[in-house]
């Protein structure tokens, strides 16, 4: 066999580590996402041989205790160290108080024991938030208790009341803390009305109660809105009439935007001292002796309709709507 040329002999005696380094370097030059370099770490202990091998006299290595620390060498990364020792990278970072972007240096000693997960401190069950109810016109202790899923006696006891006590609008009643929150239920609809109409009727009733209007006044408002708009907040009507009560911007009832505000237009219909229009228009409460007027005449006094007799047909249905929704 002929001797190798000098240049080949030189290559043949390169250390394997150097050759490996050159191979990694050449590979990395063409890689879009080069994998982290594998550190030159001590091999993991070999797995125990099967019992059959031991019975044949194969020498068995003594069990090696896994290292609990590691001294960083040049080229090491936390990822590589964790992988070589079968650990999670995040666990090694946590054990050594390192962040993902921390730099480790040769000679640094890293703990290889995963940080013990500390159990979160047991916390007491949160106290239920205290609940209360502000009394509105028309409210009763019985209705408030029923709406909150508690007994009348529980509400009376929580507020130092008796069955002879009187509650007034503006009073704030405590709801017993042990009471379950009322279950959400679909809004009630009244006979002959769909969900939208029932919601508008409920608004008219609520504002009437808030203003201290009698049940008769609320009945007149409900029938008027049904006749004028079918209890819908219409954005059209005769000439420039709009909204629940078909009020007209051209006759001073407010801008189109104001009239289409259901809350505002209802307050304008009721009128009185709290009328958003002031004295620019005349609402039901501004008509002297309105409570003594026939149902149709009271509605017509506010609306000035070309068909005044048509309001009468809604007096009895309005009574049912108030009973169901009020």
């Amino acid at each position: 066999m002929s001797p190798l040329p000098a240049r080949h002999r030189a290559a043949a005696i390169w250390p394997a580590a150097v050759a490996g380094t050159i191979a990694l370097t050449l590979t990395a030059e063409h890689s879009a996402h080069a994998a982290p370099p594998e550190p030159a770490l001590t091999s993991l202990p070999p797995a125990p041989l099967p019992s059959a091998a031991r019975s044949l006299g194969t020498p068995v290595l003594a069990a090696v205790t896994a290292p609990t620390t590691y001294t960083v060498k040049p080229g090491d990364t936390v990822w590589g160290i964790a992988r070589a020792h079968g650990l999670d990278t995040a666990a090694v970072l946590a054990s050594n108080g390192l962040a993902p972007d921390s730099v480790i240096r040769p000679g640094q000693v890293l703990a290889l024991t995963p940080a013990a997960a500390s159990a979160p401190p047991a916390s007491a069950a949160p106290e239920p938030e205290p609940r209360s109810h502000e009394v509105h016109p028309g409210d009763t202790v019985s209705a408030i208790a029923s709406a909150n899923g508690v007994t009348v006696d529980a509400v009376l006891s929580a507020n130092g009341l008796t069955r002879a006590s009187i509650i007034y609008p503006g009073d704030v009643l405590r709801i017993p803390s042990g009471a379950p929150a009322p279950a959400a239920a679909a809004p009630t609809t009244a006979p002959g009305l769909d969900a939208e109409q029932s919601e508008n009727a409920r608004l008219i009733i609520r504002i009437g109660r808030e203003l201290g209007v009698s049940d008769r006044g609320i009945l007149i408002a409900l029938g008027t809105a049904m006749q004028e708009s079918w209890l819908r907040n219409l954005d059209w009507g005769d000439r420039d009439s709009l909204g629940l009560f078909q009020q007209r911007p051209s006759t001073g009832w407010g801008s189109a935007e104001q009239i289409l505000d259901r809350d505002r237009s209802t307050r304008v219909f009721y009128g009185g001292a709290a009328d958003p229009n002031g004295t620019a228009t005349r609402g039901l409460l501004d008509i002297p002796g309105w409570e003594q007027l026939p149902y149709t005449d009271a509605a017509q006094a506010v609306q000035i309709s070309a068909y005044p007799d048509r309001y009468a047909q809604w007096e009895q249905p309005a009574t049912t709507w108030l009973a169901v929704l009020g």
Side-chain angles (χ1 to χ4, degrees), residues 61-125:
L61 295 178
V64 179
T65 304
T68 58
T69 60
Y70 176 79
T71 302
V72 177
K73 297 179 176 59
D76 277 348
T77 64
V78 176
W79 177 85
I81 296 168
R83 180 179 177 186
H85 290 86
L87 299 174
D88 181 69
T89 303
V92 175
L93 290 171
S95 297
N96 293 276
L98 301 174
D101 58 351
S102 297
V103 177
I104 58 174
R105 305 183 186 283
Q108 184 175 349
V109 178
L110 299 182
L112 298 181
T113 304
S118 57
S123 56

Side-chain angles (χ1 to χ4, degrees), residues 266-286:
T266 301
R267 294 177 188 276
V268 170
F269 174 83
Y270 284 125
D275 191 337
N277 272 349
T279 58
T281 52
R282 186 177 69 165
L284 182 65
L285 301 180
D286 301 315

Side-chain angles (χ1 to χ4, degrees), residues 6 18 40 54 79 117 134 139 142 176 195 202 264 270 277 323:
V18 175
R54 292 198 298 271
W79 177 85
E134 182 176 349
D139 275 351
S142 175
R202 194 178 289 107
R264 186 184 190 281
Y270 284 125
N277 272 349

Side-chain angles (χ1 to χ4, degrees), residues 7-301:
R7 62 178 182 276
H8 289 178
R9 289 199 302 273
I13 61 173
W14 285 350
V18 175
T21 302
I22 293 174
L24 286 174
T25 303
L26 293 176
T27 302
E29 289 178 356
H30 302 285
S31 173
H33 300 282
E38 290 286 354
L41 299 176
T42 305
S43 300
L44 290 175
L49 292 174
S51 57
R54 292 198 298 271
S55 65
L56 295 175
T58 305
V60 179
L61 295 178
V64 179
T65 304
T68 58
T69 60
Y70 176 79
T71 302
V72 177
K73 297 179 176 59
D76 277 348
T77 64
V78 176
W79 177 85
I81 296 168
R83 180 179 177 186
H85 290 86
L87 299 174
D88 181 69
T89 303
V92 175
L93 290 171
S95 297
N96 293 276
L98 301 174
D101 58 351
S102 297
V103 177
I104 58 174
R105 305 183 186 283
Q108 184 175 349
V109 178
L110 299 182
L112 298 181
T113 304
S118 57
S123 56
E127 289 290 332
E129 292 187 9
R131 290 186 289 130
S132 61
H133 175 87
E134 182 176 349
V135 177
H136 296 287
D139 275 351
T140 64
V141 174
S142 175
I144 295 169
S146 176
N148 286 278
V150 294
T151 64
V152 172
D153 288 334
V155 175
L156 292 174
S157 176
N159 294 276
L161 302 174
T162 69
R163 290 184 177 270
S165 298
I166 299 174
I167 58 175
Y168 296 93
D171 288 350
V172 177
L173 299 184
R174 292 168 50 199
I175 306 301
S177 60
T188 302
T189 57
L193 303 182
D194 61 21
E196 178 189 359
Q197 293 171 307
S198 295
E199 174 57 28
N200 288 327
R202 194 178 289 107
L203 173 77
I204 291 170
I205 295 169
R206 178 180 63 77
I207 293 175
R209 299 281 192 220
E210 180 184 324
L211 296 175
V213 179
S214 66
D215 282 0
R216 179 167 176 76
I218 294 174
L219 293 177
I220 293 169
L222 289 170
T224 301
M226 187 61 178
Q227 175 59 38
E228 295 291 350
S229 68
W230 305 288
L231 271 170
R232 302 187 190 281
N233 196 30
L234 301 180
D235 60 359
W236 57 275
D238 177 50
R239 288 170 283 187
D240 60 339
S241 300
L242 298 166
L244 284 173
F245 296 93
Q246 291 290 283
Q247 296 158 342
R248 299 178 59 192
S250 62
T251 56
W253 289 90
S255 67
E257 182 180 3
Q258 289 173 328
I259 291 172
L260 288 172
D261 180 335
R262 299 179 306 146
D263 186 289
R264 186 184 190 281
S265 67
T266 301
R267 294 177 188 276
V268 170
F269 174 83
Y270 284 125
D275 191 337
N277 272 349
T279 58
T281 52
R282 186 177 69 165
L284 182 65
L285 301 180
D286 301 315
I287 298 168
W290 67 268
E291 293 209 64
Q292 283 71 50
L293 293 176
Y295 185 90
T296 295
D297 292 348
Q300 172 65 2

